[in-house]
Amino acid sequence: MLRFLTAGESHGPELAVIIEGVPAGYNIELEAINRDLARRQKGYGRGGRMAIEHDQVRVVSGIRFGRTFGSPITFIIENQDFKNWEKRMSADPRDSGEAKPVTRPRPGHADLAGVLKYHLDDIREILERASARETAARVALGSFARQLVAPFDISVLGYVVGIGNIEAAVPAELTIEQLAKVTEESPVRVADADAERAIIAEIDQCKRQGDTLGGIVEVIADGLPVGLGSHVQWDRKLDGRVAHALMSLQAVKGVEFGKGFGAARVRGSQLHDEIGYDPVAKRFTRHSNNSGGTEGGISTGEPLRVRVAFKPLSTLMRPLRSADIKTKAEAVGTIERSDVCAVPAAAVIAESVVTFEIVNAFLEKFAGDSLAEIARNYRGYLEQLRNY
Ligand SMILES: Cc1cc2nc3c(=O)[nH]c(=O)nc-3n(C[C@H](O)[C@H](O)[C@H](O)COP(=O)(O)O)c2cc1C
């Protein structure tokens, strides 16, 4: 199984991610990872920071001549903005007088709970790590993981299905490839031109009013075999693992699979996915996919479908009421440079973390120290299913 840690502050010199448990024998295309990092930087409604950054991974360990060989992989992503923060984010105690402490916590951020918990008197020491800048490392990780299942025809896609109270339709006739193309071309990552126009107008209006917007992202994973994850233990359930990963993202307030909360409002007869059998393909089939692709924490072989709710961003240019942590006087939240809406980027990030969890469950099921061994285990399992 893969394990990982990320490190780095938003305005520090760089972000780092170490990935352990990587099988040998995979050719890794770094440009594909950089393309996903660029996808995360796009989207209507972002602030000035994305114009400064040009995210790219630098490999420090674990890849030789383009290939994995079993060692832990370390990726570094430089923060271009660090050059504007060198003294204020310095590790050198002699620079400690260079930064004015941030003392007015912003409602909705980790600011207040963080300084109280860590007994700090500068909110910057919380906000730098709580920042969604960390998600650049998560995208590098997911994009790398995607390459570990590329030989097995698994595809994962994230896109936007709503921003604020504007819903974007998803045309049912589109294949996942077509949906990927359409949403990639949209500045707000939707597949609905009318909704796109309305969303852009809403973002513009929010910007003028110093306000922010959230939204809902959908992630679909196609090509999963039946049998990823397990019912036998709480922390092996695929849906639980995917939900944990998504809830760990900044600004996420809700996760639902398939019909999700809607499942609670209908009768069982209207919900559960009836079973059939295709004798030609020699496989069990489903008449619907209301479960969202898992039952008992195990993938069913139907596409995994999960929706994620992102709250409106917490830094408002027309700030909310707060209290100064030093003087305890009434104040308003600090203004940091900020986005109006980051939901289009959040779709790429959600796609990345779902990919990582699926790949991890895949590697657990078909465990091997090399691509050759994993491919053998995978083929053997498909054969076993056909002969069931
Ligand atoms: C892609 C992305 C970009 C974000 N950009 C900002 C931002 O510019 N300004 C802001 O106040 N919050 C931003 N956030 C949200 C905060 O990072 C997040 O709300 C905060 O860290 C508190 O964590 P929590 O909402 O998970 O409790 C962003 C979140 C995501 C996913």
Side-chain angles (χ1 to χ4, degrees), residues 40 45-47 49 106-111 127 129-133 135 212 247-253 310-316 336-347 349:
R40 175 193 164 280
R46 304 304 297 277
R49 178 75 188 268
R106 297 159 302 169
H109 268 291
D111 298 3
L127 71 84
R129 181 65 188 151
S131 158
R133 178 75 190 134
T135 59
T212 58
M247 283 303 304
S248 79
L249 290 176
Q250 293 81 349
V252 170
K253 281 296 177 190
F310 287 85
K311 72 183 183 186
L313 304 180
S314 312
T315 307
L316 303 189
E336 284 272 312
R337 184 178 46 214
S338 190
D339 303 335
V340 175
C341 175
V343 180
I349 298 160

Side-chain angles (χ1 to χ4, degrees), residues 46 202-212 317 340:
R46 304 304 297 277
E202 175 70 356
I203 291 174
D204 287 342
Q205 195 188 49
C206 266
K207 186 168 186 179
R208 281 194 298 276
Q209 296 174 346
D211 220 328
T212 58
M317 292 303 139
V340 175

Side-chain angles (χ1 to χ4, degrees), residues 22 95 145 154 193 217 226 235 246 258 284 343:
V22 178
D95 293 328
I154 289 175
V217 157
V226 59
D235 58 354
L246 288 168
F284 290 95
V343 180

